[in-house]
Structure formats: C-alpha cells, structure tokens
C-alpha cells in the first residue's frame, strides 16, 4: 500500500510483506549495473553484491531519486553525469502552462513496484511490453510516486505528458521511523524548512517538471507544525516564482495537531495545509457523502480537492479495479476533482486478455464517467505516428532501421482518442494500435481490420482538437497501406464563431467520380488528394497529401473513414460465375498524420552549422579476435544556439573498414547502424563493438523537426573518431 500504509499493514500483513520484498528486489535491481540489456527485475536477490552506483561516473543515463536530506541540501545531483540527460525537452504548451482550468480535474498518480523500472532508462530499454499510459486526453495532472524521499519524475514521463498538455509533479514523502528523523531535521527551524523548500523548487525548475505532491506520513510534535506550514507555504511560493502555473499538492496525512490521522475529506484538521498550497489529495477511504462535505469546506476552491481512488481497491470507495468508475460517478456528481492512484493495476495484475486490450477497456470506463480534459491539435505543426513508446521494430519513413525490441516513453507521439468497442454496425471492423508490424515511422501504426459491407463506411475517432484556422491553407499528409479495395480517408469537422458546423472528407486516392457520388450527400465538401506518392521500397506505403482553407473556423474533430468504392468479387470454381463478396474483408493501416500551415519541406540547418563533440571517450578490448568496445558521450549544439524547433534526434553509426583489409575482402560498402533516439542534445554510446580491421567510426545525428520531417543522413551533423591503435 502506498498511502495509509500502517493501517493497511495491520490488516494485510502477508500482502504487505510481499510488497516490501518486491520493492527490495526493485531497489537491488536499480543499483545493479544500470544496463537495460542485462537488468532482470525477477532475478535479483539480496545476497547479490552489486557495485555501488556512482552518479558522477559516465554510464548509461538513468533517472533516480534522492534518498536523504543531505543529498538534497548539498545539490550534488547537479554534479551527476546523469543530470543533463534528465532534463525534460518538452515544455507545456501555452494554454496548459497557466493555472489549471476552473472545472473538475483528473489527477493520476503512478506508483508501480517502487518506481524507476523500465522508465528509468532515459535513452530507452529493450522491453517492448513495458508499461505506458496513452490516454492523456483524460488527464490534467500526472504524479510520479515512489517511496524515496525525493522522487524525481523520469524525463520520459515529463516529455510525453507535456506534449499532451498535462502537468507533472514529483513526490516528497516522509514516512516510517526514518521519516521521523528526517522530519526532525527538516523542521528544526524556519530557516531549514525554507532552505529545503527552495532546494525542491530548484530541482523541479532545472529538470522541467511542474511541482510536488507533499506526503508527510509521520506524526509530529505539535510544536513542529508552524515550521511544517512554513515548509509547505514557502515551497508553494518558491515554485510559483520559478515555474509559473506550477502546483504543490498536500496529501491528506498528518493533521494540524500533529497526529498521523487520515481524514478522508477536507475539514478543519487538514484545511490549514490546503489553504497554503494548490490543492489536497484526499485519502481514498472516504465515504459517499465526503466529496460533498469537502466541496462545502473548500468553497470556491472545490476543484482543488482531489478525492483519492485506489485502483487496487484497498478499502477504497466503489472497490477500484473494474469498478473505479463508481467512485468517479460520485465525485463528478458532487463536482470536485478526482485523484486516481496506481492505474498500473491493469499491468501489474496481468488483466486479461492482454495489456493493450485491458488498458483500453479500463480507461474507457474512466472516460464514460468523466470528461475529456485535453484537446489536440491546438497548434501547427501537428504530427502523430501513433507510437506508444514501445515496440518490436523501429522504422524511418517506411524503411525498417532496427528489428530490436525497445521501449522509450519519450518517443510517444500525440495519442489518438480511440474509443474502446468490440462491436460496430455495418460489419466487424476493429481499430487498434499495432506495435508489432513494421511502421511508417517509429514503432506503431493504427490498424483497421475485419469485415466491412461494401456500401457502408466506418468512422473511427482520432483526435478532438481546438485548432483555430487562419487565412493560410492547412496541408494534411498521411501514410496508408491497405489490402484489396480497402480505402482510408480523413473526416474533418469544423465550427465557426457563429456555431456553424461544417464537415469535409479528405478522400483517399481513387476514382474521383465514384468518390464524389458516394460521399457528396454526407459531407459539405469532398477533397481528393493533390499528390499521391508510392514509396519505392517493398513496404507498400502510399503517402497522400491534401489541403484545405477554412479561415475563421476551428477544427474540432478528426476521424478516420474506412470505405470501399467497388465490391470485391471472386469467381466460383464450380460454376465459373463472378460473385460479389458481402461483407468482404477489410484491412488498412494508418502510419502517420502530419498537419502544417506551410508545404512540408526539409529546410534543416546544414551540417556545418552544428558543433559536435565526443566526451568521456573510452576504448577497451573486447575479445581475442581484436575487436574493441567504445564508450563515448556525444554532444551537439547549433552554432546560433537556436534548437527549439528540434526535440528529437535519431543516432546512427558507420564503421569505416581499414582500406587495405576491405580491398582484399572486396567489401567497401558502408551501412549505417541505428543506435537509438536522443531527446536532449547528448547521447551516451555504451559498449559499442568495433570489429578488428575498422579504422574509424562516424556517428550521425539525424535531426527531426516537429512536423515529422527528417534531415537526410548525408546532410546531417556527424562526428568522426579514429579507432584507438588502428
């Protein structure tokens, strides 16, 4: 259990011991070798003797918490080799950087087996089934939780949450007997309380997240309460000063009289902390009338009251799990906010039939009870390749670059608003994100498969936006591959300032007359693509481009439209007759969607505009055949200093053979090898095997723009290194 841990321990002793054992195993794993290829969460034993983790030494970049007040006070974190890698690269969009909207909100608190699992590998790991969240459009605030003193959210969570307009909080928690000793030092004076508050604010600002959840799970001497209030107040004020729009949320734990007594509501015992912070996360064992009572106490700040729901169902109202929506219904009725704790229950308990399906089903219950919190697209450019941040392969513009399984939540693009449904009218067509088949870009696709009657069109929600259109046209580019006569277009819905509704179909390439006659009654306008490009590779991707001009309108909805223009036929072998198939098989894949106000171009800074360096270079022998291993930190920056247009870089390596050896073997062809993705201007290459007979290596940094365009490899910045001793 995470909150109200002591009361839970008394009634669930065996389960709690199992949880503590799991947490210890995660802890020992975290300290092992910081190697995602070798880490095994299930095989670590307390008898192992891992080498101590030295954050000042170069190693594969990781995220990690702070364990002591001494670490916090000394600011030693900023001297860590890992600090630059832990900076978030994505800022909140302007509409989300301000105060939260004056409405009910949804806070999601992520807690899983002690935290810092697959998500701690900043440059990504090799678990294609790693946990992720992709229903960001339902969330307002995301909290990363662990039982460490100072939980710093891994940058992957900050990057993807910010992309979707969601604020991210770290956790400051004091608990158990060690927590009392920490509290005594923290609250020893007004000055110490202020100093530690400033250290926390400094960390949040430096790493790019948006505030703190404060959980004081210890009883205190009532004489310490004034300094505790000073800590919370000063933390709130300093966060607001350093990060406008930031949040400090108090957890319902210790009361104003110093007792560790969970109130399960906002009342006179915890309101003093609510009054000096941005909100309260109410413990999850509340009763049905507590949200209403809390709203009455909060007054015009009722939306700052977040009623807790434990998805594991431990004494929580409604039972959590598959009935989490029961608690949400009560909270919505009484018009306060909700805080969902541990939605990873679906993943940890291996709900059937599989994680993808169970996750989508569970969040569909949340959406049914709650409301959509985020809208996108809001600005241009807009790009989504439907990547969830994990997969079994990695593709760039239809060309498969790697078949190695991977995970990296920072690689998530804008996630679609897919509706969970096992049935559809007019056929049995299902929509899902596919992470196993080759993509157009990244590691995911949207697949539409099943059966579809020939005279029926199937529509699937993709995005719900608030994009105000100006006088310049908006250009749409999307990639599709399909079987047989399956076609896929995009349906766009617009609203004017006068509430006038219009719908436009961006039709797939095909017979224009048939398309118009088929859809002219259903849409205000049907637009055929002005350019269709078929990739030369064997991937079968077709790139379709269309443009619209809707000045003064707001784009509010984007749907995929699946249809056929002609019925599929087959010949009867027995009678030699041609017969229509109805319903017929339908299969289409949407690889990406890009929107821009300018024609898509590849105007990247030339490679000579970049400064590229290699730091902490280390060569070592690998085997008796003469191969070597290379460790090096790549860093780059534009000479002009402007990098805000670039949030992502694909990293490749070319190994240059010794010319004399290559000529004798008849092999001079150089092939770039994909290494990974960087979301900051640095990448650490670890244990790169360089075969004997190699004279040098070239690292290529492929720049990726916000609209999905990629710089050509031959024009990308690079760094040449000679092999030591070659």
């Amino acid at each position: 259990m995470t909150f109200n841990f002591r009361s839970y321990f008394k009634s669930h002793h065996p389960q709690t011991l199992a949880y503590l054992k799991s947490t210890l195993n995660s802890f020992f794993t975290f300290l092992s070798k910081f190697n995602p290829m070798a880490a095994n969460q299930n095989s670590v034993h307390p008898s192992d003797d891992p080498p101590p983790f030295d954050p000042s030494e170069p190693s594969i970049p990781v995220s990690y918490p702070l364990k002591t007040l001494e670490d916090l006070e000394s600011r030693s974190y900023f001297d860590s080799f890992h600090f630059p890698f832990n900076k978030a690269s994505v800022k909140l969009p302007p509409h989300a950087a301000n105060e939260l909207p004056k409405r009910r909100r949804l806070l999601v608190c992520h807690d899983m087996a002690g935290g810092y699992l697959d998500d701690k590998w900043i440059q990504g790991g090799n678990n294609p089934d790693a946990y992720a969240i992709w229903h960001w459009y339902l969330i307002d605030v995301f909290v990363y939780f662990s039982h460490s003193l100072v939980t710093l959210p891994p940058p992957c969570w900050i990057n993807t949450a910010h992309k979707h307009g969601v604020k991210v909080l770290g956790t400051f928690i004091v608990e158990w007997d060690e927590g009392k000793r920490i509290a005594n030092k923290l609250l020893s004076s007004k000055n110490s309380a202020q100093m530690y508050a400033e250290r926390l604010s400094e960390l949040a600002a430096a790493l790019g997240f948006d505030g703190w959840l404060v959980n004081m799970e210890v009883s205190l001497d009532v004489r310490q309460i004034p300094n505790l209030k000073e800590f919370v107040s000063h933390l709130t004020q300093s966060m607001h000063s350093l990060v406008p729009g930031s949040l400090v949320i108090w957890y319902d734990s210790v009361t104003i009289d110093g007792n560790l007594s969970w109130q399960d509501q906002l009342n006179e015992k915890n309101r003093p902390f609510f009054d000096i912070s941005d909100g309260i996360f109410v413990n999850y064992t509340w009763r049905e009338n507590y949200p209403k009572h809390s709203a009455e106490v909060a007054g015009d700040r009722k939306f700052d009251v977040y009623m807790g729901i434990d998805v594991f169902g431990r004494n929580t109202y409604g039972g959590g799990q598959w009935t989490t929506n029961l608690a949400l219904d009560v909270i919505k009725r009484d018009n306060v906010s909700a805080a969902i704790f541990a939605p990873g229950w679906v993943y940890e308990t291996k709900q059937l039939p599989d994680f993808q399906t169970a996750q989508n089903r569970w969040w569909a219950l949340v959406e049914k009870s709650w409301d959509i919190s985020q809208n996108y697209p809001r600005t241009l450019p807009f790009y989504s390749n439907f990547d969830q941040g994990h997969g079994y392969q990695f593709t760039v513009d239809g060309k498969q670059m790697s078949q190695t399984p991977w995970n990296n939540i920072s690689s998530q693009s804008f996630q679609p608003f897919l509706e969970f449904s096992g049935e559809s009218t007019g056929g049995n067509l299902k929509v899902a994100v596919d992470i196993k088949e080759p993509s157009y870009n990244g590691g995911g696709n949207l697949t539409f498969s099943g059966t579809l009657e020939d005279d029926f069109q199937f529509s699937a929600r993709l995005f719900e936006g608030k994009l105000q259109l100006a006088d310049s046209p908006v250009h749409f580019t999307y990639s599709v591959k399909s079987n047989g006569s399956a076609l896929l277009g995009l349906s766009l819905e617009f609203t004017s300032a006068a509430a006038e509704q219009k719908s436009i179909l961006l039709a797939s390439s095909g017979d224009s007359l048939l398309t118009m006659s088929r859809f002219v009654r259903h849409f205000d306008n049907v637009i055929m693509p002005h350019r269709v490009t078929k990739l030369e590779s064997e991937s079968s991707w077709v790139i379709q481009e269309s443009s619209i001009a809707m000045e003064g309108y707001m784009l509010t909805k984007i749907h995929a439209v699946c249809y056929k223009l002609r019925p599929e036929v087959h010949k009867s072998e027995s009678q030699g007759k041609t017969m229509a198939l109805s319903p017929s098989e339908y299969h289409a894949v949407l690889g990406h969607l890009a929107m821009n106000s300018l024609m898509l171009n590849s105007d990247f800074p030339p490679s000579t505009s970049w400064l590229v360096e290699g730091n902490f270079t280390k060569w070592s022998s690998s085997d008796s055949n003469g191969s070597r291993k290379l460790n090096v930190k790549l860093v780059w920056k534009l000479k002009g200093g402007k990098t805000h247009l670039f949030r992502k870089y694909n990293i490749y390596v070319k190994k240059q053979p010794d010319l004399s050896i290559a000529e004798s073997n008849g092999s001079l062809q150089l092939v770039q090898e994909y290494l990974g993705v960087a979301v900051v201007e640095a990448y650490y290459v670890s244990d790169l095997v360089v075969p004997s007979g190699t004279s040098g290596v070239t690292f290529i940094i492929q720049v990726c723009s916000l609209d999905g365009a990629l710089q050509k490899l031959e024009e990308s910045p690079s760094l040449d290194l000679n092999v030591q001793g070659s």
Side-chain angles (χ1 to χ4, degrees):
M1 193 61 173
T2 300
F3 302 110
N4 206 344
F5 201 69
R6 291 167 175 76
S7 63
Y8 181 74
F9 185 87
K10 292 177 182 177
S11 59
H12 298 77
H13 185 72
Q15 292 92 331
T16 304
L17 288 177
Y19 169 82
L20 291 174
K21 180 179 179 181
S22 173
T23 302
L24 283 173
N25 280 340
S26 296
F27 172 74
F28 282 110
T29 300
F30 175 78
L31 290 179
S32 60
K33 294 184 179 180
F34 286 89
N35 184 343
M37 302 300 178
N40 184 337
Q41 299 293 338
N42 298 316
S43 62
V44 179
H45 302 283
S47 60
D48 293 344
D49 188 20
F53 170 54
D54 184 352
S56 66
E57 289 296 316
S59 62
I60 296 175
V62 294
S63 298
Y64 60 94
L66 304 186
K67 304 281 189 178
T68 68
L69 283 179
E70 289 73 21
D71 290 338
L72 180 60
E73 180 178 358
S74 69
R75 303 176 75 248
S76 60
Y77 181 84
F78 297 112
D79 297 324
S80 165
F81 174 81
H82 305 268
F83 164 59
F85 295 94
N86 274 278
K87 293 181 179 180
S89 60
V90 182
K91 295 182 179 180
L92 280 168
H95 77 274
N98 302 318
E99 294 183 2
L100 289 169
K102 302 298 183 183
R103 57 160 172 76
R104 286 178 292 101
R105 307 158 193 150
L106 186 66
L107 179 152
V108 169
C109 189
H110 171 61
D111 170 62
M112 182 177 289
Y116 301 100
L117 302 176
D118 292 302
D119 53 4
K120 70 174 175 281
W121 306 114
I122 297 172
Q123 295 178 172
N126 65 344
N127 181 8
D129 300 314
Y131 178 74
I133 287 174
W134 49 84
H135 293 80
W136 294 105
Y137 59 91
L138 300 174
I139 304 172
D140 293 287
V141 181
F142 175 84
V143 179
Y144 193 82
F145 183 92
S146 82
H147 287 280
S148 297
L149 177 66
V150 180
T151 299
L152 303 172
C156 62
W157 289 108
I158 308 172
N159 288 333
T160 192
H162 279 185
K163 178 179 293 183
H164 293 87
V166 177
K167 294 182 187 290
V168 178
L169 309 184
T171 303
F172 181 80
I173 185 171
V174 175
E175 58 184 344
W176 301 101
D177 293 338
E178 176 62 21
K180 285 191 175 184
R181 290 188 286 271
I182 291 172
N184 289 338
K185 183 174 182 179
L186 171 73
L187 306 175
S188 60
S189 68
K190 179 179 178 180
N191 288 339
S192 68
Q194 291 180 343
M195 181 269 292
Y196 288 117
E198 290 169 3
R199 293 291 190 271
L200 290 174
S201 298
E202 181 184 34
L203 277 169
L207 295 177
F209 61 95
D210 310 296
W212 296 95
L213 172 68
V214 177
N215 187 4
M216 299 294 293
E217 294 261 1
V218 292
S219 58
L220 298 172
D221 189 307
V222 70
R223 291 171 294 182
Q224 294 176 301
I225 297 301
N227 286 342
L228 176 58
K229 292 176 65 178
E230 181 63 30
F231 171 72
V232 176
S233 175
H234 196 70
L235 177 59
T236 304
Q237 294 171 19
S238 60
M239 277 302 314
H240 290 177
S241 176
L242 288 176
V243 184
S246 58
L247 301 172
V248 172
I249 295 181
W250 173 260
Y251 187 77
D252 170 27
S253 49
V254 69
T255 62
I256 196 64
D257 53 15
N259 294 325
L260 181 56
S261 177
W262 299 269
Q263 300 300 295
D264 300 326
Q265 61 184 312
L266 178 64
N267 60 22
E268 71 282 356
K269 290 185 178 294
N270 53 28
R271 177 165 181 172
F273 301 109
F274 174 75
D275 289 341
I276 57 177
S277 64
D278 297 301
I280 184 170
F281 187 142
V282 175
N283 192 52
Y284 46 77
T285 55
W286 46 269
R287 299 177 183 177
E288 185 172 351
N289 59 341
Y290 285 9
K292 182 180 179 181
H293 291 168
S294 298
E296 293 170 351
V297 174
D300 60 3
R301 287 191 62 201
K302 62 182 179 180
F303 300 134
D304 296 333
V305 176
Y306 299 84
M307 302 300 298
I309 308 170
D310 177 24
V311 181
F312 276 83
R314 295 162 286 202
N315 300 322
T316 200
Y317 181 87
Q321 302 183 15
W322 292 111
T323 55
T324 296
N325 55 303
L326 298 180
L328 286 172
D329 289 340
V330 172
I331 295 169
K332 182 177 182 178
R333 180 195 68 194
D334 294 328
N335 208 23
V336 291
S337 296
I340 293 179
F341 179 74
W345 167 82
V346 174
Y347 183 87
E348 291 193 72
T349 57
K350 296 179 172 60
Q351 293 295 301
L352 299 176
D354 56 73
F355 172 54
Q356 287 273 335
T357 304
Q359 168 108 318
N360 291 332
R361 176 190 165 203
W362 187 87
W363 281 98
L365 294 174
V366 174
E367 181 176 354
K368 186 176 180 180
S369 289
W370 211 247
D371 298 319
I372 289 176
S373 294
Q374 307 295 339
N375 295 93
Y376 44 87
R378 281 178 172 263
T379 59
L380 296 178
F382 177 80
Y383 177 83
S384 177
N385 60 10
F386 313 110
D387 195 322
Q388 291 181 340
H390 50 204
Y392 289 84
Q393 47 76 42
F394 189 85
T395 307
V396 174
D397 285 349
K399 182 178 180 181
Q400 193 169 74
M401 308 305 297
S402 171
Q403 292 181 309
T404 302
W406 64 277
N407 63 278
N408 188 341
I409 296 174
S410 278
S411 292
Q412 268 196 17
S413 65
F414 281 102
Q415 294 300 295
F417 295 51
L418 296 184
E419 296 174 284
F420 179 80
S421 176
E423 298 178 356
S424 62
T425 57
N428 187 23
L429 201 59
K430 294 187 178 180
V431 187
V433 173
D434 187 346
I435 65 172
K436 293 185 177 181
E437 293 301 316
S439 318
Y440 177 74
N441 259 332
N445 302 302
L446 270 185
T447 61
F448 306 79
S449 58
T451 57
L452 185 68
E453 294 180 5
D454 294 316
D455 59 350
F456 183 82
Q457 65 245 21
F458 173 85
S459 177
R461 183 180 69 177
L462 296 183
F463 301 105
E464 294 197 2
K466 287 185 177 180
L467 177 64
Q468 189 65 49
L469 273 63
D471 55 353
S472 59
V474 176
H475 303 281
F476 290 76
T477 305
Y478 62 100
S479 54
V480 177
K481 61 180 176 180
S482 58
N483 295 345
S485 59
L487 298 174
L488 191 149
L490 297 176
S491 166
L492 312 176
E493 295 187 21
F494 299 88
T495 303
S496 71
E500 181 186 3
Q501 307 287 322
K502 285 198 173 183
S503 62
I504 293 178
L505 174 67
L506 302 183
S508 175
S509 58
D511 190 308
S512 298
L513 290 177
L514 279 177
T515 302
M516 293 295 180
S517 62
R518 170 77 177 273
F519 291 109
V520 69
R521 299 186 306 274
H522 303 287
F523 295 91
D524 294 303
N525 195 5
V526 178
I527 298 176
M528 301 300 295
H530 62 74
R531 180 181 298 154
V532 178
T533 306
K534 295 183 179 180
L535 296 189
E536 296 179 358
S537 63
E538 298 179 358
S539 60
S540 302
W541 288 106
V542 177
I543 314 303
Q544 311 212 37
E545 300 178 51
S546 302
S547 299
I548 61 168
M550 293 288 291
E551 181 180 0
Y553 282 81
M554 176 179 285
L555 174 61
T556 57
K557 293 181 180 180
I558 304 176
H559 284 67
V561 179
C562 304
Y563 63 99
K564 297 182 177 185
L565 290 180
R566 296 183 176 89
E568 292 188 10
V569 297
H570 76 286
K571 288 187 176 181
S572 170
E573 294 182 2
S574 60
Q575 301 178 12
K577 295 181 179 180
T578 299
M579 303 174 61
L581 296 178
S582 182
S584 57
E585 293 297 319
Y586 182 98
H587 181 78
V589 182
L590 182 61
H592 85 288
L593 169 62
M595 299 166 52
N596 208 333
S597 58
L598 302 173
M599 292 299 270
L600 203 62
N601 58 67
S602 301
D603 289 338
F604 291 94
S607 59
T608 54
S609 299
W610 295 85
L611 296 173
V612 185
E613 297 179 351
N615 300 329
F616 303 101
T617 304
K618 180 181 178 182
W619 293 93
S620 60
S621 299
S622 176
D623 56 33
S624 58
N625 294 325
S627 63
R628 293 176 174 271
K629 286 186 178 180
L630 170 63
N631 292 348
V632 61
K633 177 185 177 183
L634 306 175
V635 293
W636 56 91
K637 63 180 179 179
L638 272 175
K639 294 177 181 178
K642 294 183 179 180
T643 58
H644 62 280
L645 295 178
F646 310 118
R647 294 178 181 167
K648 177 181 172 183
Y649 307 86
N650 293 329
I651 312 300
Y652 301 85
V653 65
K654 283 185 178 181
K655 300 171 184 177
Q656 174 70 52
D658 183 281
L659 291 179
S660 60
I661 298 177
E663 288 174 355
S664 64
N665 293 337
S667 58
L668 282 172
Q669 185 178 4
L670 295 179
V671 179
Q672 66 268 7
E673 175 186 347
Y674 173 77
L675 294 180
V677 170
V679 292
V680 294
E681 295 172 322
Y683 187 86
Y684 187 71
V685 179
S686 175
D687 291 339
L688 177 70
V689 176
V690 180
S692 61
T694 303
S695 62
V697 294
T698 298
F699 294 101
I700 304 170
I701 298 139
Q702 185 180 40
V703 184
C704 311
S705 67
L706 295 179
D707 59 11
L710 305 171
Q711 189 167 22
K712 295 180 180 179
L713 288 177
E714 61 270 20
E715 298 174 1
S716 298
S718 61
L719 176 69
D720 295 322
L721 289 180
N722 293 324
V723 174
Q724 189 181 65
S726 63

